[in-house]
Amino acid sequence: MKTAIIDYGSGNLHSAAKAFERALRDSDIKGRIIVTDKAEIVSECDYVVLPGVGAFADCRAGLENVDGMIETLHDVVINKARPFLGICVGTQLMATRGLEKSITPGFDWISGDVTEIKPDDSSLKVPQIGWNTINVINDHQLLNGIKTGPDGQHAYFVHSYHLVANDRSNVIAECDYGGAVTAIVGRDNMIGTQFHPEKSQKMGLALIANFLNWKP
Amino acid sequence: MSLKARIIPCLDVKDGRVVKGVSFVDLIDAGDPVEAAIAYDAAGADELCFLDITASSDNRDIIFDVVSQTAEHCFMPLTVGGGVRHLKDIRKLLNAGADKVAINTTAVKNPDFVASAADKFGNQCIVISIDAKRVSLPDEPGKWEIFTHGGRQPTGIDAVEFARLVVEKGAGEIMLTSMDQDGQKTGYDLALTRSIADAVRVPVIASGGVGTLEHLVEGIRDGHANAVLAASIFHFGTYTIGEAKRYMNDNGIAMRLD
């Protein structure tokens, strides 16, 4: 089993790769984690992970600069229906459009826009930085064994924008930050977390292991 | 409110070694930052901070190795600061495994650097580290000035004004150290912390002066900070991270206890 983590110059791949390797070991799955900027390697992998740190438009531009990567992503995720996990901006790119600084098209896999979070309590700071619990909206296998709800396990968020899905059935989980903020979106073989599972200690490793065991 | 306040242990690293060491657990090597990071990860720290205080430029690349090795073992957020002068320094730290980068002197010298860094890497990973000293008399309204070079060099810049400026430029968080309180163990400068926390829309990390668990509570409750940074009370085992989190939680500050 091969898992591709796509490298398009957007930060923090080292930590993501290490967390995935650890989850693989912990769950006794035979496989390899491959960090790659080659579209042809991604197309040979069974699982695909798109991380992303930074601004939406910069990340989109970074992906466009990798030869054939956006086309390959579309092929493996939409045509070949392989399990896909987006992380942070990688998740946001699944949307129709990003509205950070400028209007930038996303992949339009999850209908909706990426908009700035606007807590209804003015004492709440933006970006949301820190550990928050998540509330399940539509149950999902990736949350197996993870305690959710106000007394549940925490995930690490660091973001100013989130994906607001048009179809409520695409929202897997939300967190509360002066109103509902999107935490996980997904449909069919694709899922994406706004928080950083690779930085969310036990909860994150459990979610990553669930992803690597996922057979949508 | 379900976002929790954060406790951030901070390790000063010089030439790849923890300055003064960490003795709160049975570390084989008290000066090894990676070992200390692993111990703090296991203890439930909410984030970890490395400040590289390496003076010689020959040894400045060592921090990348330290960060990279830490990221292999610790699946927790990591902020790294010290000696960040160019966009490529930020890129290298993020690639090594840092999530956020703290910038101090370079931001003071050139606030536009904050804008370039935030545009390139997103404001969420740009932490501006502010070292401030009180310049008003005790009976006057609080006024604080920015100091650089580890608090040795005055700049004449007002700390609150500077905080507003860097946030406008794109800083995603402020790490605020009171040079008056640092090392005193008598608590944070709460007036300073509150003045800056209330002036900006981004989270503020209070730093400098922690001696007791009550000081951590005060930093959040009275200083309006979103996170509290401490070094010696944790490094020398005065309190564990778990004790600190439980104490804060029992005193009305919601903490992550899982």
Side-chain angles (χ1 to χ4, degrees), chain B residues 209-229:
Chain B
V210 175
T212 69
L213 299 183
E214 188 58 25
H215 293 153
L216 301 175
V217 173
E218 289 168 1
I220 306 285
R221 186 191 58 206
D222 307 326
H224 300 174
N226 304 87
V228 281
L229 184 139

Side-chain angles (χ1 to χ4, degrees), chain A residues 63-139:
Chain A
L63 260 186
E64 278 171 0
N65 285 336
V66 183
D67 254 4
M69 191 61 90
I70 292 182
E71 296 75 9
T72 299
L73 266 174
H74 191 85
D75 183 52
V76 296
V77 179
I78 304 298
N79 303 337
K80 302 202 169 97
R82 293 189 189 146
F84 170 90
L85 173 68
I87 299 174
C88 197
V89 183
T91 295
Q92 297 180 359
L93 286 164
M94 296 163 80
T96 310
R97 304 184 302 169
L99 305 184
E100 183 173 0
K101 290 174 189 156
S102 55
I103 297 178
T104 311
F107 307 150
D108 199 19
W109 294 347
I110 302 281
S111 169
D113 284 344
V114 175
T115 63
E116 190 167 14
I117 53 175
K118 291 205 165 68
D120 59 18
D121 171 349
S122 63
S123 73
L124 293 180
K125 301 302 185 84
V126 178
Q128 170 177 222
I129 300 183
W131 297 83
N132 208 334
T133 52
I134 59 172
N135 303 313
V136 177
I137 307 300
N138 289 289
D139 207 5

Side-chain angles (χ1 to χ4, degrees), chain B residues 53-186:
Chain B
I53 56 169
T54 303
S56 102
S57 54
D58 294 347
N59 292 338
R60 236 178 244 135
D61 281 354
I62 299 174
I63 194 70
F64 299 115
D65 273 343
V66 170
V67 172
S68 167
Q69 286 176 46
T70 302
E72 291 198 17
H73 300 283
C74 300
F75 305 106
M76 67 183 299
L78 179 63
T79 301
V80 185
V84 175
R85 287 175 183 80
H86 308 285
L87 292 179
K88 67 174 176 7
D89 300 330
I90 302 177
R91 165 58 69 211
K92 278 169 85 176
L93 285 171
L94 295 178
N95 280 351
D99 300 278
K100 297 187 278 184
V101 171
I103 306 169
N104 181 321
T105 309
T106 308
V108 176
K109 281 189 186 153
N110 176 19
D112 285 334
F113 180 72
V114 181
S116 332
D119 278 348
K120 181 83 193 129
F121 305 106
N123 61 0
Q124 83 295 326
C125 78
I126 305 301
V127 182
I128 300 304
S129 161
I130 296 180
D131 294 340
K133 243 184 219 180
R134 191 175 178 115
V135 288
S136 52
L137 296 170
D139 54 347
E140 290 173 350
K143 196 167 167 48
W144 298 267
E145 188 178 318
I146 303 275
F147 279 67
T148 57
H149 299 82
R152 293 187 304 276
Q153 198 153 314
T155 62
I157 301 168
D158 180 76
V160 178
E161 287 309 310
F162 182 71
R164 281 205 186 95
L165 173 71
V166 292
V167 169
E168 202 178 290
K169 297 278 180 194
E173 197 168 35
I174 302 278
M175 184 187 286
L176 175 64
T177 305
S178 159
M179 303 311 295
D180 301 304
Q181 292 305 101
D182 204 28
Q184 298 300 310
K185 295 185 182 296
T186 52

Side-chain angles (χ1 to χ4, degrees), chain A residues 9-15 18-20 22 25 53-55 58 88 100-101 116-117 121 123-133 135 150-160 175-178 196-203 205, chain B residues 1-6 40-42 44-47 67-69 71-78 91 94-100 118-125 171-173 196-204 224 226 255-258:
Chain A
S10 172
N12 226 326
L13 296 175
H14 183 70
S15 349
K18 292 299 159 194
F20 277 75
R22 170 72 176 272
R25 278 202 305 279
V53 173
D58 268 3
C88 197
E100 183 173 0
K101 290 174 189 156
E116 190 167 14
I117 53 175
D121 171 349
S123 73
L124 293 180
K125 301 302 185 84
V126 178
Q128 170 177 222
I129 300 183
W131 297 83
N132 208 334
T133 52
N135 303 313
D151 299 320
Q153 289 171 274
H154 292 76
Y156 185 77
F157 289 81
V158 47
H159 67 127
S160 303
C175 67
D176 172 29
Y177 194 61
H196 288 268
E198 79 281 19
K199 291 289 169 175
S200 296
Q201 293 177 332
K202 278 189 195 129
M203 184 276 195
L205 290 174
Chain B
M1 232 303 267
S2 38
L3 186 80
K4 307 304 185 290
R6 288 166 281 153
Y40 277 125
D41 183 25
D46 297 308
E47 285 182 17
V67 172
S68 167
Q69 286 176 46
E72 291 198 17
H73 300 283
C74 300
F75 305 106
M76 67 183 299
L78 179 63
R91 165 58 69 211
L94 295 178
N95 280 351
D99 300 278
K100 297 187 278 184
D119 278 348
K120 181 83 193 129
F121 305 106
N123 61 0
Q124 83 295 326
C125 78
E173 197 168 35
I196 290 193
D198 291 351
V200 297
R201 71 193 287 254
V202 305
V204 170
H224 300 174
N226 304 87
M255 301 298 292
R256 175 182 71 116
L257 299 171
D258 54 81

